[in-house]
Amino acid sequence: MNGRFGLRAALTAVVAVTLAGLVTGCGGGGDASGPTTIRFVWWGNEDRAKVTKAAVDLFMKDNPGITVQTEYAAYDAYFQKLSTQVAGGASPDLIQLDRATLGEYQHRHVLEDLSPYMGKAVDVTGIAPALLAGGKIEGKQYAVPGGQTTQMLAYDAGVFTKAGVAPPSGPGKTWTWAQFGEGLRKVAATGVAGTTDFGWAIDWFEVWLHQHGKQLYTDDGKLGFTAADLTQFWTLTGDLRAAKAVTAPEVTTKMDGSMPNSGLVTKRAGSEINYDSSLSAYLSSYGPGIQAAPLPTDGTASGMAAMPPVTFAVAQRSAHKEAAAKLLSFLVNNPEAGKLLGVARGLPPNTAIREQVCGAAQAATKAVCDYEKSVADRIGPATGLWPTGSAAVKRDFQRVYDDVIFGRTGVADGAARAVQTAQQSLGS
Amino acid sequence: MTQAVLDRPVAPERAVPRRRRAGQGTGYLFLSPWLLGVLVLTIGPMIASLYLSFTDYDLFDAPRWVGLDNYATMFTRDDRFWHAAGVTARYVGLSVPLKLGLALAVAMLLNRARRGAGLYRSAFYAPSLLGASVSLALVWRAMFSTGGTADRVLAAFGLDTGGWVDQPQFALLAVIALAVWQFGAPMVIFLAGLKQIPKELYEAAELDGAGALRRFRSVTLPMLSPVLLFNLVLETIHAFQSFTGAFVVSSGRGGPSDSTLLYTLYLYQRGFTDFRMGFASAMAWVLLVVIGVLTALLFRGSRRWVFYAGESR
C-alpha cells in the first residue's frame, strides 16, 4: 500500500469507472446478414428444432441462392433475446410469434405487412380463413399461422386407470368440472397430484370464461372479465390445491408450458392442461402413456377454440424480405416440408397438407390428429388476436397467482390486483 | 495504547522528475485508445441514457419527450419498483457483510498456510473467475431446486425444506449464497493487505500480552482498514448491480412471487420485456444516484475507522 493519497486516488478512480459502466449498459450486436443469408428464429423443444431444421435444409436445397441460419430457445429466453436483437438492429428475418406477442410487435412497427406478397412469394390459399385471421391485424396480414391447435388435457392413462378414473375420450364425450375435480382427488389419493395447477395461465382462464359466455378481451381491446370472475376461477383451483389434487406451489410457480418444467413430465402430476401442439412433445418427453382429453365444462359450450399456436412474420427491417417470405411460404405449403414438420406446431395450417399428414399419421402425429378430430365439432372458431399489452397481462396474471398459491395474498385481493394491473397494461 | 505500536517509519518519498509539456502530449497519445473508448462507449451512452430517461421510448419507434413522468411514475405509482428496491436492500445488506467476512476469514487462514498455499488460493479464487458465467448460476438453480442436490442432502438430515429457489421465503437466500460463495476477489485483496502488515507489530503485541482476539482487533483490523474500505465500497457497488444470479435462477422472472426481483432485474424487465426503455433509463439513473450517495456516506464514515499508515492522530 502506497499511503493515503495513492490508495484514495486509486479507489476513487475504480469507483468512478464502475459507476460509469452502470448507466451505459451493454451495446447492441453486429449485423450478421450477408447478401442472401437470412435468419429464422423460433421457440420450442428439441423435437420441433430437429424437424424444422430438416425442413429448412430442404428449402436451401430447393433455393441454392439462399442460406438460412436458424436459432431457437425456450419461450422466455426466446423473447428476451428477440427484443434485444430487434432493438439492437440485428433483427432476424423470419420470426415466430404467438397470440400474446404478435400484436405487441406489430404495434411497435417491427413487422412487415405481408399483403403485397400474397399470391407472389407467399401463398395462403390453402389455409382456412378463420385460421388465417389469427395473423391479421386491422385487415392486414402481418403473420401467417404456422399450425392449428386447441386446448387439451394431456394425461397419463396409467395413473388415471390405477385411480379408477375414466377420462372422457372419443367424439362428443365430456366431463363436468365437478366430475373432473372428483377424478383429480381420486388420483391424488394414489400419491401424485391429479393435475398441474391450472390457475397460472390466463389461457386456461380464457376457456373457462368462454364457457360462461364471457371473453378475455373485448373486440376493442379492453378487459372482458371482472375480478369476481377471476375470484371464482381461482377459488376452483384453490379448493383442489387444498386437497392436494393439483400440484404444490413450488411446482406451479415454474410453469411456462415447456417440457422440462412441466408438472406432468416431472411426474408430480398425473395430467396437465396445454395446447395439443405440445402433445407430441409430451409423448417424447414422458413416454407413450400420454393421451388427450377435452377440458371439462358444465354447459354445452366447450369453451375451446381452434387457433394458431404460432405464427410466422417477416421483420420490417429485414434486408431480404423476399427470401424470408419465400421460406415462410415453403414451411406452410410445401408437401415435403409438411411431411417433415408433421404436427410439431399443431396440425398443419394448409388443409391439403393436413389431410396428407393426418392420412399417413402414426404415433404422436396420429394422437394429435385423432384428438382434434374427436373435438372438431365442439371447438369454436379462432377467438382472434390478443391486444397490445396482453404479453404483460399474461405475465402479471401468473405473478399474482404466485402470490395467491404461496398464501401471500387472498384470492379476492389477488383477483382485484390482477384486474387492476391488467387494465393498466392495456391502457399503456 | 495501540497508537504507539502502530506508528511505523514511512518510506522516504522518491524524487519525482518534473514533467515536461512534450511528455504530457506523448502521455495523452498513449492514452487515446482508452479516452476514445470512454467517450464512445461510456460518456456517449450515458448522455443518451440521461436523455432517454425523460422520454417514452419503446426501443423501436422514436423516443417521445415526457419530462419527469418516468420518475414520477416510479416513485408514486409503481409498487414493484419499491418492492424491487426492498429486495435489493435485503440482498446488499446480507450478501456484502457475509461475503467480506468469509473473504477475510479465508484470507487469514491462507495467510498462515505454508504447504500448498498456492493450490488453496487458486481453489478459493476459482468460483470468482467463473462468477459472471451463466452456467454457474444454472448449476446453482439445479442444486437448489425441488429435488436438487441441496434439497436431497437437507432432506437426509431431516430438514425437508423443499427446493430453495422454488419458494419465496428461501429463493433470495439461494441467490445470496451464490454471491457469497464467489468471495475470491476480495479474498485476494485481503491476502495482499495481510502480507503488508509488519510481523514486528504482532511480535510487539504478543510481548505486551495480547491474545489472538486482541491482536486481530488492535493490529490486523486497523492495519487492514484501508483494504477493508476498498473491498466494502467495491462489493457494495457490485452488489447493487448484481443481475446474473437472480436472472438465471428465476429464469428472468424474479420469481417465485417476485422474491428475487432485484432492482437491476426489474430494470431489465421494464426495458426489454415491457419495452419501456425510457423508464428503465430513469431507473438506472436513480440507482446511480443512490449508489453515489451511499459511496459518499461510506467514505465519510470511513474517516472514523480507517487508518492510513504514516497518519498521526
Coordinates of all heavy atoms in Angstrom, one line a residue, chain A residues 1 4 7-8 11 14-15 18-20 22-24 76 80 83-84 86-87 104-105 107-110 250 253-256 268 317 395-396 398-399 402-403 406 408, chain B residues 41-42 45-46 49 58-61 80 146 166-168 196 226 230 233-234 237 241 247 251-253 256-258 268 272 274-275 284 287-288 291 295 299 308 311:
Chain A
M1 N 0.8 -1.2 0.0 CA 0.0 0.0 0.0 C 0.9 1.2 0.0 O 1.9 1.3 0.7 CB -0.9 0.0 1.3 CG -1.9 -1.1 1.3 SD -3.1 -1.1 -0.1 CE -2.9 -2.7 -0.7
R4 N -1.9 7.1 2.0 CA -3.3 7.5 1.8 C -3.6 8.0 0.4 O -4.7 7.7 -0.1 CB -3.7 8.5 2.9 CG -3.0 9.9 2.7 CD -3.2 10.7 3.9 NE -4.6 11.1 4.0 CZ -5.1 11.9 4.9 NH1 -4.3 12.3 5.9 NH2 -6.4 12.2 4.9
L7 N -3.8 5.3 -2.4 CA -4.9 4.4 -2.3 C -6.2 5.1 -2.6 O -7.1 4.6 -3.3 CB -4.9 3.8 -0.9 CG -6.0 2.7 -0.7 CD1 -5.7 1.5 -1.5 CD2 -6.1 2.3 0.8
R8 N -6.3 6.3 -2.0 CA -7.6 7.0 -2.2 C -7.8 7.3 -3.7 O -8.9 7.1 -4.2 CB -7.5 8.4 -1.4 CG -7.7 8.2 0.0 CD -9.0 9.0 0.4 NE -9.3 8.6 1.8 CZ -9.3 9.5 2.8 NH1 -8.9 10.7 2.7 NH2 -9.7 9.1 4.0
L11 N -8.8 4.2 -5.5 CA -10.2 3.8 -5.1 C -11.2 4.7 -5.8 O -12.2 4.2 -6.3 CB -10.3 3.9 -3.5 CG -11.6 3.5 -2.9 CD1 -12.1 2.2 -3.5 CD2 -11.4 3.3 -1.4
V14 N -11.4 3.7 -9.4 CA -12.2 2.5 -9.6 C -13.7 2.7 -9.5 O -14.5 2.3 -10.3 CB -11.6 1.4 -8.7 CG1 -12.5 0.2 -8.8 CG2 -10.2 1.0 -9.0
V15 N -14.0 3.5 -8.4 CA -15.4 3.7 -8.2 C -16.0 4.5 -9.3 O -17.1 4.1 -9.8 CB -15.6 4.5 -6.9 CG1 -17.0 5.1 -6.8 CG2 -15.3 3.7 -5.7
T18 N -16.5 2.2 -12.3 CA -17.5 1.2 -12.1 C -18.9 1.8 -12.2 O -19.8 1.3 -12.8 CB -17.4 0.5 -10.7 OG1 -16.0 0.3 -10.5 CG2 -18.2 -0.7 -10.6
L19 N -19.1 3.0 -11.6 CA -20.4 3.7 -11.7 C -20.7 4.1 -13.1 O -21.8 3.9 -13.5 CB -20.3 4.9 -10.8 CG -20.4 4.6 -9.3 CD1 -20.4 6.0 -8.5 CD2 -21.6 3.8 -8.9
A20 N -19.7 4.6 -13.8 CA -20.0 5.0 -15.2 C -20.5 3.8 -16.0 O -21.4 4.0 -16.8 CB -18.7 5.6 -15.8
L22 N -22.3 1.5 -15.1 CA -23.6 1.1 -14.7 C -24.7 1.7 -15.6 O -25.6 1.0 -16.0 CB -23.9 1.6 -13.3 CG -25.3 1.6 -12.8 CD1 -25.8 0.2 -12.6 CD2 -25.4 2.4 -11.5
V23 N -24.6 3.0 -15.9 CA -25.7 3.7 -16.6 C -25.6 3.5 -18.1 O -26.5 3.8 -18.8 CB -25.8 5.2 -16.3 CG1 -26.5 5.4 -15.0 CG2 -24.5 5.8 -16.5
T24 N -24.5 2.9 -18.6 CA -24.4 2.8 -20.0 C -24.9 1.5 -20.5 O -25.4 1.3 -21.6 CB -22.9 2.9 -20.5 OG1 -22.2 1.9 -19.8 CG2 -22.4 4.3 -20.2
D76 N -39.4 -18.2 -22.8 CA -39.0 -16.9 -22.1 C -37.7 -16.4 -22.7 O -37.6 -15.2 -23.0 CB -38.8 -17.2 -20.6 CG -40.1 -17.2 -19.8 OD1 -41.1 -16.8 -20.5 OD2 -40.2 -17.6 -18.7
Q80 N -36.8 -12.7 -24.7 CA -35.8 -11.8 -24.1 C -34.7 -11.5 -25.2 O -34.3 -10.4 -25.4 CB -35.1 -12.5 -22.9 CG -36.0 -12.4 -21.7 CD -35.7 -13.4 -20.6 OE1 -34.7 -14.1 -20.7 NE2 -36.5 -13.6 -19.6
S83 N -36.3 -9.4 -28.4 CA -36.4 -8.0 -28.3 C -35.1 -7.3 -28.2 O -35.0 -6.2 -28.8 CB -37.2 -7.6 -27.0 OG -36.6 -8.2 -25.9
T84 N -34.1 -7.9 -27.7 CA -32.8 -7.3 -27.6 C -32.2 -7.2 -29.0 O -31.6 -6.2 -29.4 CB -31.8 -8.1 -26.7 OG1 -32.5 -8.5 -25.5 CG2 -30.6 -7.3 -26.4
V86 N -33.8 -7.2 -31.9 CA -34.6 -6.2 -32.8 C -34.2 -4.8 -32.4 O -33.9 -4.0 -33.3 CB -36.1 -6.4 -32.6 CG1 -36.8 -5.3 -33.3 CG2 -36.5 -7.8 -33.1
A87 N -34.1 -4.5 -31.1 CA -33.7 -3.2 -30.7 C -32.3 -2.8 -31.1 O -32.0 -1.7 -31.4 CB -33.8 -3.1 -29.1
E104 N -48.2 -7.1 -30.1 CA -47.1 -6.3 -29.4 C -46.1 -5.8 -30.4 O -45.7 -4.7 -30.5 CB -46.5 -7.2 -28.4 CG -45.8 -6.5 -27.2 CD -46.8 -6.3 -26.1 OE1 -47.6 -7.2 -25.7 OE2 -46.8 -5.2 -25.6
Y105 N -45.6 -6.8 -31.2 CA -44.5 -6.4 -32.2 C -45.1 -5.6 -33.4 O -44.4 -4.8 -33.9 CB -43.8 -7.7 -32.7 CG -42.8 -8.2 -31.7 CD1 -43.1 -8.9 -30.6 CD2 -41.4 -7.8 -31.8 CE1 -42.1 -9.3 -29.7 CE2 -40.5 -8.2 -30.9 CZ -40.8 -9.0 -29.8 OH -39.9 -9.3 -28.9
H107 N -47.6 -3.6 -33.3 CA -47.9 -2.2 -32.8 C -46.7 -1.4 -32.8 O -46.7 -0.2 -33.0 CB -48.5 -2.4 -31.5 CG -48.8 -1.0 -30.8 ND1 -49.9 -0.3 -31.1 CD2 -48.2 -0.4 -29.8 CE1 -50.0 0.8 -30.4 NE2 -48.9 0.8 -29.6
R108 N -45.5 -2.0 -32.6 CA -44.3 -1.3 -32.5 C -43.5 -1.3 -33.8 O -42.3 -1.0 -33.9 CB -43.4 -1.9 -31.4 CG -44.1 -1.8 -30.1 CD -43.3 -2.0 -28.9 NE -43.8 -1.4 -27.7 CZ -44.7 -1.9 -26.9 NH1 -45.0 -3.2 -27.0 NH2 -45.2 -1.2 -25.9
H109 N -44.2 -1.5 -34.9 CA -43.7 -1.4 -36.3 C -42.5 -2.3 -36.5 O -41.5 -1.9 -37.2 CB -43.4 0.0 -36.6 CG -44.5 1.0 -36.3 ND1 -44.5 1.9 -35.3 CD2 -45.7 1.1 -36.8 CE1 -45.6 2.5 -35.2 NE2 -46.4 2.1 -36.1
V110 N -42.5 -3.5 -35.9 CA -41.4 -4.4 -36.2 C -41.7 -5.3 -37.4 O -40.8 -5.8 -38.0 CB -41.1 -5.3 -34.9 CG1 -40.0 -6.3 -35.1 CG2 -40.8 -4.4 -33.7
E250 N -44.6 -24.9 -5.2 CA -43.2 -24.9 -5.7 C -43.2 -25.5 -7.2 O -42.3 -25.1 -7.9 CB -42.3 -25.9 -4.9 CG -42.2 -25.5 -3.4 CD -43.3 -26.1 -2.6 OE1 -43.2 -27.3 -2.2 OE2 -44.3 -25.4 -2.3
T253 N -45.2 -22.7 -9.6 CA -44.6 -21.4 -9.9 C -43.6 -21.5 -11.1 O -43.3 -20.5 -11.7 CB -43.8 -20.9 -8.7 OG1 -43.3 -19.6 -8.9 CG2 -42.7 -21.9 -8.3
K254 N -43.2 -22.7 -11.4 CA -42.2 -22.9 -12.5 C -42.9 -23.0 -13.9 O -42.2 -23.0 -14.9 CB -41.3 -24.1 -12.3 CG -40.3 -23.8 -11.2 CD -39.2 -24.8 -11.3 CE -39.5 -26.1 -10.7 NZ -38.3 -26.9 -10.3
M255 N -44.2 -23.1 -13.9 CA -44.9 -23.4 -15.2 C -44.6 -22.4 -16.3 O -44.7 -21.2 -16.0 CB -46.4 -23.5 -15.0 CG -46.9 -24.8 -14.3 SD -46.2 -26.2 -15.1 CE -45.3 -26.9 -13.7
D256 N -44.3 -22.8 -17.4 CA -44.2 -21.9 -18.6 C -44.5 -22.6 -19.9 O -44.2 -22.2 -21.0 CB -42.7 -21.4 -18.7 CG -41.7 -22.5 -18.7 OD1 -42.1 -23.6 -18.7 OD2 -40.5 -22.1 -18.7
R268 N -45.0 -35.0 -11.2 CA -45.6 -34.5 -10.0 C -47.1 -34.4 -10.1 O -47.8 -34.1 -9.2 CB -44.9 -33.2 -9.6 CG -43.5 -33.3 -9.2 CD -43.0 -32.1 -8.5 NE -41.6 -32.4 -8.0 CZ -40.5 -32.3 -8.7 NH1 -40.6 -31.9 -10.0 NH2 -39.4 -32.6 -8.2
R317 N -37.4 -4.6 -40.8 CA -36.0 -4.1 -41.1 C -35.2 -5.2 -41.7 O -34.0 -5.0 -41.9 CB -35.4 -3.7 -39.8 CG -36.0 -2.5 -39.2 CD -35.3 -2.0 -37.9 NE -36.1 -1.1 -37.2 CZ -35.8 -0.6 -36.0 NH1 -34.7 -1.0 -35.4 NH2 -36.6 0.3 -35.4
R395 N -48.2 -12.2 -18.2 CA -47.1 -12.3 -17.2 C -47.5 -11.9 -15.8 O -47.3 -12.6 -14.8 CB -45.9 -11.4 -17.6 CG -44.6 -12.0 -17.3 CD -43.5 -11.2 -18.0 NE -43.7 -9.7 -18.0 CZ -43.8 -9.1 -19.1 NH1 -43.8 -9.7 -20.3 NH2 -44.0 -7.8 -19.1
D396 N -48.3 -10.8 -15.7 CA -48.7 -10.3 -14.4 C -49.7 -11.3 -13.8 O -49.8 -11.5 -12.6 CB -49.3 -8.9 -14.5 CG -48.2 -7.9 -14.8 OD1 -47.1 -8.2 -14.4 OD2 -48.5 -6.8 -15.3
Q398 N -49.8 -14.5 -14.0 CA -49.0 -15.6 -13.4 C -48.3 -15.1 -12.1 O -48.3 -15.8 -11.1 CB -48.0 -16.2 -14.3 CG -47.2 -17.4 -13.7 CD -46.3 -18.1 -14.7 OE1 -46.1 -17.5 -15.8 NE2 -45.8 -19.2 -14.4
R399 N -47.8 -13.9 -12.1 CA -47.1 -13.3 -11.0 C -48.1 -13.2 -9.8 O -47.8 -13.6 -8.6 CB -46.5 -12.0 -11.3 CG -45.5 -11.5 -10.4 CD -44.6 -10.5 -11.1 NE -45.4 -9.4 -11.8 CZ -46.1 -8.5 -11.1 NH1 -46.1 -8.4 -9.8 NH2 -46.8 -7.6 -11.8
D402 N -48.9 -16.5 -8.3 CA -47.8 -16.9 -7.4 C -48.1 -16.5 -6.0 O -48.0 -17.2 -5.0 CB -46.5 -16.3 -7.9 CG -45.7 -17.3 -8.7 OD1 -46.2 -18.4 -9.0 OD2 -44.5 -17.0 -9.1
D403 N -48.5 -15.2 -5.8 CA -48.8 -14.6 -4.5 C -49.9 -15.4 -3.9 O -50.0 -15.6 -2.7 CB -49.1 -13.1 -4.6 CG -47.9 -12.3 -4.8 OD1 -46.8 -12.8 -4.7 OD2 -48.0 -11.1 -5.1
F406 N -48.8 -19.1 -2.8 CA -47.9 -19.1 -1.7 C -48.5 -18.5 -0.4 O -47.8 -18.2 0.6 CB -46.6 -18.4 -2.0 CG -45.7 -19.2 -2.9 CD1 -45.4 -18.9 -4.2 CD2 -45.0 -20.4 -2.3 CE1 -44.6 -19.7 -5.0 CE2 -44.2 -21.2 -3.1 CZ -44.0 -20.8 -4.4
R408 N -49.6 -15.4 0.0 CA -49.2 -14.1 0.3 C -50.3 -13.1 0.1 O -50.2 -11.9 0.5 CB -48.0 -13.7 -0.6 CG -46.8 -14.6 -0.4 CD -45.6 -14.0 -1.1 NE -44.4 -14.3 -0.3 CZ -43.2 -13.7 -0.5 NH1 -43.1 -12.8 -1.4 NH2 -42.2 -14.0 0.3
Chain B
L41 N -18.0 4.7 -25.7 CA -18.7 3.6 -25.1 C -19.2 3.9 -23.7 O -20.1 3.2 -23.2 CB -17.8 2.4 -24.9 CG -17.2 1.8 -26.3 CD1 -16.2 0.7 -26.0 CD2 -18.4 1.3 -27.1
T42 N -18.8 5.0 -23.1 CA -19.3 5.3 -21.7 C -20.0 6.7 -21.6 O -21.1 6.8 -21.3 CB -18.1 5.3 -20.7 OG1 -17.5 4.0 -20.8 CG2 -18.6 5.5 -19.3
P45 N -23.1 6.9 -24.3 CA -24.2 6.2 -23.9 C -24.9 6.8 -22.6 O -26.1 6.8 -22.4 CB -23.7 4.8 -23.6 CG -22.6 4.6 -24.5 CD -21.9 6.0 -24.6
M46 N -24.0 7.4 -21.7 CA -24.5 8.0 -20.5 C -25.4 9.1 -20.8 O -26.5 9.3 -20.3 CB -23.4 8.4 -19.6 CG -22.9 7.3 -18.7 SD -21.5 7.8 -17.6 CE -22.4 8.6 -16.3
S49 N -28.6 7.9 -22.3 CA -29.4 7.3 -21.3 C -30.1 8.4 -20.5 O -31.3 8.2 -20.1 CB -28.6 6.4 -20.4 OG -29.0 6.3 -19.1
D58 N -39.9 3.0 -26.8 CA -40.2 1.5 -26.8 C -39.2 0.7 -27.6 O -39.5 -0.4 -27.9 CB -41.6 1.3 -27.3 CG -41.8 1.6 -28.8 OD1 -40.7 2.0 -29.4 OD2 -42.9 1.6 -29.3
L59 N -38.0 1.3 -27.8 CA -36.9 0.6 -28.5 C -37.0 0.6 -30.0 O -36.0 0.6 -30.7 CB -36.9 -0.9 -28.1 CG -36.3 -1.3 -26.8 CD1 -36.4 -2.8 -26.6 CD2 -34.8 -1.0 -26.8
F60 N -38.3 0.7 -30.5 CA -38.4 0.5 -32.0 C -38.8 1.9 -32.6 O -38.3 2.2 -33.7 CB -39.5 -0.5 -32.3 CG -39.2 -1.8 -31.5 CD1 -40.2 -2.3 -30.6 CD2 -38.0 -2.5 -31.7 CE1 -39.9 -3.5 -29.9 CE2 -37.8 -3.7 -30.9 CZ -38.7 -4.2 -30.1
D61 N -39.7 2.6 -32.0 CA -40.1 3.9 -32.5 C -39.3 5.0 -31.9 O -38.6 4.8 -30.9 CB -41.6 4.2 -32.2 CG -42.5 3.2 -32.9 OD1 -42.2 2.7 -34.0 OD2 -43.5 2.8 -32.3
R80 N -44.1 -2.3 -7.7 CA -43.0 -3.2 -8.0 C -41.6 -2.5 -7.9 O -40.6 -3.2 -7.5 CB -43.1 -3.9 -9.4 CG -44.2 -5.0 -9.4 CD -44.1 -5.7 -10.7 NE -43.3 -6.9 -10.7 CZ -42.8 -7.4 -11.7 NH1 -42.9 -6.9 -12.9 NH2 -42.1 -8.6 -11.6
T146 N -36.4 -27.9 -6.4 CA -37.0 -29.0 -5.8 C -36.5 -30.4 -6.3 O -36.4 -30.5 -7.5 CB -38.5 -29.0 -6.1 OG1 -39.0 -27.7 -5.9 CG2 -39.3 -29.9 -5.2
D166 N -37.5 -22.5 -5.4 CA -38.9 -22.5 -5.8 C -39.8 -22.0 -4.7 O -41.1 -22.0 -4.8 CB -39.3 -24.0 -6.1 CG -38.5 -24.5 -7.2 OD1 -38.1 -23.8 -8.1 OD2 -38.2 -25.7 -7.2
Q167 N -39.2 -21.5 -3.6 CA -40.1 -20.9 -2.6 C -39.7 -19.5 -2.2 O -38.5 -19.2 -2.1 CB -39.9 -21.8 -1.3 CG -40.4 -23.2 -1.5 CD -40.2 -24.0 -0.3 OE1 -40.8 -23.7 0.8 NE2 -39.4 -25.0 -0.3
P168 N -40.8 -18.7 -2.1 CA -40.5 -17.2 -1.9 C -39.6 -16.9 -0.7 O -38.8 -16.0 -0.7 CB -41.9 -16.6 -1.8 CG -42.8 -17.7 -2.2 CD -42.2 -19.0 -2.2
Q196 N 1.1 -7.2 4.0 CA 1.8 -6.0 4.2 C 2.0 -5.6 5.6 O 2.7 -4.7 6.0 CB 0.9 -4.8 3.5 CG 0.8 -5.0 2.0 CD 2.0 -4.4 1.3 OE1 2.6 -3.4 1.7 NE2 2.5 -5.2 0.3
P226 N -7.7 0.3 5.4 CA -7.9 0.8 4.1 C -8.3 -0.2 3.1 O -9.1 0.1 2.2 CB -6.4 1.3 3.7 CG -5.7 1.4 5.0 CD -6.3 0.4 5.9
F230 N -11.8 -0.4 0.9 CA -11.7 -0.6 -0.6 C -12.7 -1.8 -1.0 O -13.5 -1.6 -1.8 CB -10.3 -1.0 -1.0 CG -10.1 -1.3 -2.4 CD1 -9.8 -0.3 -3.3 CD2 -10.2 -2.6 -2.9 CE1 -9.7 -0.6 -4.7 CE2 -10.0 -2.9 -4.2 CZ -9.7 -1.9 -5.1
V233 N -16.5 -0.8 -0.3 CA -17.0 0.1 -1.3 C -17.3 -0.7 -2.6 O -18.4 -0.6 -3.2 CB -16.1 1.3 -1.5 CG1 -16.6 2.1 -2.8 CG2 -16.1 2.2 -0.3
L234 N -16.3 -1.4 -3.0 CA -16.4 -2.1 -4.3 C -17.5 -3.2 -4.3 O -18.3 -3.3 -5.2 CB -15.1 -2.8 -4.7 CG -14.1 -1.9 -5.5 CD1 -13.1 -2.8 -6.2 CD2 -14.8 -1.0 -6.5
I237 N -21.0 -1.7 -4.3 CA -21.4 -1.2 -5.6 C -21.7 -2.4 -6.5 O -22.8 -2.5 -7.2 CB -20.3 -0.4 -6.3 CG1 -20.1 0.9 -5.5 CG2 -20.6 -0.1 -7.8 CD1 -18.9 1.7 -6.0
Q241 N -25.4 -3.8 -8.3 CA -25.5 -4.1 -9.7 C -25.7 -5.5 -10.1 O -25.8 -5.9 -11.2 CB -24.3 -3.6 -10.4 CG -24.0 -2.1 -10.3 CD -22.7 -1.7 -10.9 OE1 -22.1 -2.4 -11.5 NE2 -22.4 -0.4 -10.7
F247 N -31.2 -13.4 -12.3 CA -31.8 -13.6 -13.6 C -31.9 -15.1 -14.0 O -32.9 -15.6 -14.4 CB -31.0 -12.8 -14.6 CG -31.5 -12.9 -16.0 CD1 -32.6 -12.1 -16.4 CD2 -31.0 -13.9 -16.9 CE1 -33.1 -12.2 -17.7 CE2 -31.5 -13.9 -18.2 CZ -32.5 -13.1 -18.6
S251 N -35.2 -17.7 -14.0 CA -35.5 -17.7 -15.5 C -35.9 -16.3 -15.9 O -36.8 -16.2 -16.8 CB -36.6 -18.7 -15.8 OG -36.3 -20.0 -15.3
G252 N -35.3 -15.3 -15.4 CA -35.6 -13.9 -15.8 C -36.8 -13.3 -15.3 O -37.2 -12.2 -15.6
R253 N -37.5 -14.0 -14.4 CA -38.8 -13.5 -13.9 C -38.7 -12.8 -12.6 O -39.6 -12.0 -12.2 CB -39.8 -14.7 -13.8 CG -40.2 -15.3 -15.0 CD -41.4 -16.2 -14.8 NE -41.5 -17.3 -15.7 CZ -42.2 -18.4 -15.5 NH1 -42.8 -18.6 -14.3 NH2 -42.3 -19.3 -16.4
P256 N -39.7 -17.0 -7.4 CA -41.2 -17.1 -7.2 C -41.8 -15.9 -6.4 O -41.2 -15.5 -5.5 CB -41.4 -18.4 -6.5 CG -40.1 -18.7 -5.8 CD -39.0 -18.1 -6.6
S257 N -42.9 -15.5 -6.9 CA -43.7 -14.5 -6.2 C -42.8 -13.2 -6.0 O -42.9 -12.6 -5.0 CB -44.1 -15.0 -4.9 OG -45.2 -14.2 -4.4
D258 N -42.0 -12.9 -7.0 CA -41.2 -11.6 -7.0 C -40.2 -11.6 -5.9 O -39.6 -10.5 -5.6 CB -42.1 -10.4 -6.9 CG -42.5 -9.9 -8.3 OD1 -42.1 -10.5 -9.3 OD2 -43.2 -8.9 -8.3
Y268 N -34.3 -4.4 -16.1 CA -34.2 -5.2 -17.4 C -35.6 -5.5 -17.9 O -35.9 -5.4 -19.1 CB -33.4 -6.4 -17.1 CG -33.3 -7.3 -18.3 CD1 -32.4 -7.2 -19.3 CD2 -34.2 -8.4 -18.4 CE1 -32.3 -8.0 -20.4 CE2 -34.2 -9.2 -19.5 CZ -33.3 -9.0 -20.5 OH -33.2 -9.9 -21.6
F272 N -36.6 -4.4 -21.5 CA -36.5 -5.4 -22.6 C -37.7 -6.3 -22.8 O -37.9 -6.9 -23.8 CB -35.2 -6.2 -22.6 CG -34.0 -5.4 -23.0 CD1 -33.2 -4.9 -22.0 CD2 -33.7 -5.2 -24.3 CE1 -32.1 -4.1 -22.3 CE2 -32.6 -4.5 -24.7 CZ -31.8 -3.9 -23.7
D274 N -41.0 -5.2 -21.3 CA -42.1 -4.3 -21.4 C -41.9 -3.2 -22.4 O -42.8 -2.4 -22.6 CB -42.4 -3.7 -20.0 CG -42.8 -4.7 -18.9 OD1 -43.1 -5.9 -19.3 OD2 -42.9 -4.3 -17.8
F275 N -40.7 -3.2 -23.0 CA -40.4 -2.2 -24.0 C -40.5 -0.8 -23.4 O -41.0 0.1 -24.1 CB -41.2 -2.3 -25.3 CG -41.2 -3.7 -25.8 CD1 -42.4 -4.5 -25.8 CD2 -40.0 -4.2 -26.3 CE1 -42.3 -5.8 -26.4 CE2 -40.0 -5.5 -26.8 CZ -41.2 -6.3 -26.9
A284 N -32.1 3.4 -14.0 CA -30.6 3.3 -14.0 C -30.0 4.6 -13.3 O -29.1 4.5 -12.5 CB -30.0 3.1 -15.4
L287 N -30.6 4.5 -9.6 CA -29.7 3.6 -9.0 C -28.3 4.3 -8.9 O -27.6 4.2 -7.8 CB -29.6 2.3 -9.8 CG -28.7 1.2 -9.2 CD1 -29.1 0.8 -7.8 CD2 -28.7 0.0 -10.1
L288 N -27.9 5.0 -9.9 CA -26.6 5.6 -9.9 C -26.5 6.6 -8.8 O -25.5 6.7 -8.0 CB -26.4 6.4 -11.3 CG -25.1 7.2 -11.3 CD1 -23.9 6.2 -11.7 CD2 -25.1 8.3 -12.3
I291 N -26.4 4.8 -5.4 CA -25.0 4.2 -5.1 C -24.0 5.3 -4.9 O -23.2 5.2 -4.0 CB -24.6 3.3 -6.3 CG1 -25.5 2.2 -6.5 CG2 -23.2 2.8 -6.1 CD1 -25.1 1.2 -7.6
T295 N -21.9 5.6 -1.5 CA -20.5 5.5 -1.5 C -19.9 6.8 -0.8 O -19.0 6.6 0.0 CB -20.0 5.5 -3.0 OG1 -20.7 4.5 -3.7 CG2 -18.5 5.3 -3.0
F299 N -17.4 6.7 2.5 CA -16.2 7.5 2.6 C -16.2 8.4 3.8 O -15.2 8.4 4.5 CB -16.0 8.3 1.3 CG -15.3 7.5 0.2 CD1 -15.9 7.2 -1.0 CD2 -13.9 7.2 0.4 CE1 -15.3 6.5 -2.0 CE2 -13.3 6.5 -0.6 CZ -13.9 6.2 -1.8
Y308 N -4.6 5.1 7.9 CA -3.7 5.1 6.9 C -2.3 5.2 7.5 O -2.0 6.0 8.4 CB -3.9 6.2 5.9 CG -5.1 6.1 5.1 CD1 -6.2 6.8 5.4 CD2 -5.2 5.2 4.0 CE1 -7.4 6.6 4.7 CE2 -6.3 5.0 3.3 CZ -7.4 5.7 3.7 OH -8.6 5.6 3.0
E311 N -0.1 8.2 9.1 CA -1.1 9.2 9.6 C -0.9 9.3 11.1 O -0.7 8.3 11.8 CB -2.5 8.7 9.3 CG -3.5 9.7 9.4 CD -4.8 9.2 8.9 OE1 -5.1 8.0 9.1 OE2 -5.6 9.9 8.2

